[in-house]
Amino acid sequence: MKDSASNELSFRTVVVTKKDQVAEGVFRFELRDEAARALPAFTAGAHLTVRVPSGANRNYSLCNDPAETDRYVIAVKRDAAGRGGSVSMADEVAEGDRIDVSEPHNEFGLSERARSFVFVAGGIGITPILSMMRHLKATSGPRFKLYYVSRSPQTTAFLDELSSAEWKPHVVIHHDHGELANAFDFWPVFEKPGSGAHIYCCGPRALMDSVRDMTGHWPTGTVHFESFGVDQSRAAENTPFNIRLERTGRSFQIPKDRSILEILRDNGIRAPSSCESGTCGSCRTTLCAGEADHRDMVLGDDEKRDHIMICVSRAKSQELVLDL
């Protein structure tokens, strides 16, 4: 399958110089230039688009210090329930292999106006935030605090490092063991917005939704969420539109601030989904009629007439008819 991202991104070949396991099911990859040249610079919070051995493109956040120009470091969680990108990376990529990566891109950069930072990470969402923390510490930047939630110590990436004396004053780690009753209470953290403070959150959708719900009273522009490379600037172009389900005839209006997937879910209609950022392809749906406004990084040009990723894409026509 041809990825639409390949029409917009330029790729370079790098060598996997190190691969190790940093938690249960989480693998760290060190990538270097084949000729030991400096790599294109990146800023804290940036990601790479990686062409995995299966041929798909996947976005992975850089987790090393941006001052390091000789290597890129990413961490990948093996998700057996996904569409195979992370499984392909975890199972098929070994030290010494060559893989293609894009230049770094950043839709999650640190605000230069912030006087302090509150970081919230869930699971593998620690990766871009770890890069931010390394950068702030190395440059004596504004103060910061990390709240890192995960299911258990075994599934917590970089646990040994983040538990060390170096990071202890800056880090709170919480394990909920998969039980709602053990969920971390973020309200004391967000109840009173700090002067000049900015929040950066990366993790599962449920965590990001919870943080969004609790920070509605924070000043506009001070709460940031990782979108894994999907350009959020186009949200300003959003307009409402209708969808009709071909199999049942049911119709719904999609507001400008909600996705097709969210509206279907609200109405008890189940649809496959995973990343909810237009990068994994899980929510691919057949488009029966109407013109889509494609915003994913999965569909090739020859697939866009008949398919849509319902987690991020919208409509150019007044109505879309979906094979649901």
Side-chain angles (χ1 to χ4, degrees):
M1 180 182 71
K2 184 179 181 181
D3 292 289
S4 60
S6 65
N7 296 328
E8 304 169 3
L9 300 173
S10 59
F11 286 80
R12 67 168 54 224
T13 300
V14 294
V15 179
V16 179
T17 51
K18 185 176 181 181
K19 176 187 178 183
D20 59 351
Q21 191 165 348
V22 293
E24 186 177 293
V26 180
F27 298 87
R28 174 172 51 190
F29 297 86
E30 179 186 80
L31 312 173
R32 296 181 183 265
D33 181 80
E34 291 184 289
R37 295 167 297 197
L39 294 165
F42 69 95
T43 52
H47 69 273
L48 299 173
T49 299
V50 179
R51 180 153 293 143
V52 303
S54 66
N57 288 348
R58 295 292 182 265
N59 293 339
Y60 297 112
S61 295
L62 289 155
C63 57
N64 56 314
D65 187 337
E68 297 177 340
T69 59
D70 59 334
R71 65 174 188 159
Y72 294 145
V73 180
I74 60 174
V76 178
K77 179 180 179 182
R78 188 186 189 280
D79 182 5
R83 292 193 70 236
S86 65
V87 172
S88 182
M89 281 290 292
D91 295 357
E92 300 176 49
V93 177
E95 289 185 12
D97 287 353
R98 286 162 171 75
I99 59 174
D100 292 336
V101 303
S102 73
E103 291 195 0
H105 294 266
N106 199 341
E107 304 289 346
F108 195 49
L110 288 171
S111 169
E112 295 181 358
R113 299 187 303 274
R115 292 201 291 249
S116 65
F117 294 96
V118 177
F119 296 129
V120 179
I124 196 61
I126 187 62
T127 50
I129 288 172
L130 188 54
S131 179
M132 293 174 174
M133 292 168 54
R134 296 189 199 282
H135 169 71
L136 291 172
K137 201 166 191 307
T139 59
S140 299
R143 68 184 185 277
F144 62 88
K145 190 81 171 183
L146 166 67
Y147 298 89
Y148 185 16
V149 296
S150 66
R151 292 179 65 90
S152 67
Q154 293 76 23
T155 60
T156 306
F158 306 104
L159 178 61
D160 289 345
E161 179 181 359
L162 290 172
S163 301
S164 68
E166 176 186 7
W167 293 111
K168 191 171 183 179
H170 307 282
V171 175
V172 174
I173 299 174
H174 178 82
H175 308 300
D176 61 23
H177 301 285
E179 298 178 8
L180 188 60
N182 294 328
F184 186 79
D185 181 9
F186 281 102
W187 182 242
V189 178
F190 301 136
E191 182 179 7
K192 296 179 181 179
S195 177
H198 280 236
I199 298 169
Y200 282 77
C201 177
C202 185
R205 174 65 57 154
L207 174 65
M208 292 197 287
D209 286 347
S210 177
V211 171
R212 186 178 286 109
D213 289 344
M214 284 188 282
T215 55
H217 59 296
W218 279 59
T220 301
T222 62
V223 185
H224 312 265
F225 297 93
E226 168 61 280
S227 62
F228 295 101
V230 176
D231 186 1
Q232 298 185 90
S233 66
R234 295 190 62 190
E237 306 169 13
N238 289 358
T239 57
F241 61 97
N242 294 321
I243 62 167
R244 179 163 56 85
L245 309 187
E246 177 74 7
R247 301 180 199 175
T248 64
R250 297 180 69 184
S251 295
F252 304 98
Q253 184 179 64
I254 310 301
K256 64 180 182 180
D257 60 345
R258 303 292 304 284
S259 70
I260 299 172
L261 179 63
E262 288 171 332
I263 297 302
L264 291 176
R265 186 182 291 150
D266 287 353
N267 286 276
I269 299 167
R270 297 177 62 86
S273 65
S274 181
C275 73
E276 300 194 19
S277 63
T279 60
C280 77
S282 298
C283 67
R284 176 197 299 258
T285 301
T286 298
L287 179 63
C288 302
E291 184 181 3
D293 178 7
H294 295 286
R295 302 186 184 183
D296 64 274
M297 297 184 67
V298 178
L299 292 175
D301 289 339
D302 57 340
E303 300 173 292
K304 291 182 177 179
R305 185 172 62 88
D306 300 317
H307 295 87
I308 183 174
M309 296 300 172
I310 59 175
C311 68
V312 292
S313 295
R314 301 188 67 81
K316 293 182 179 178
S317 55
Q318 291 185 343
E319 183 180 79
L320 299 178
V321 181
L322 307 179
D323 184 22
L324 290 171

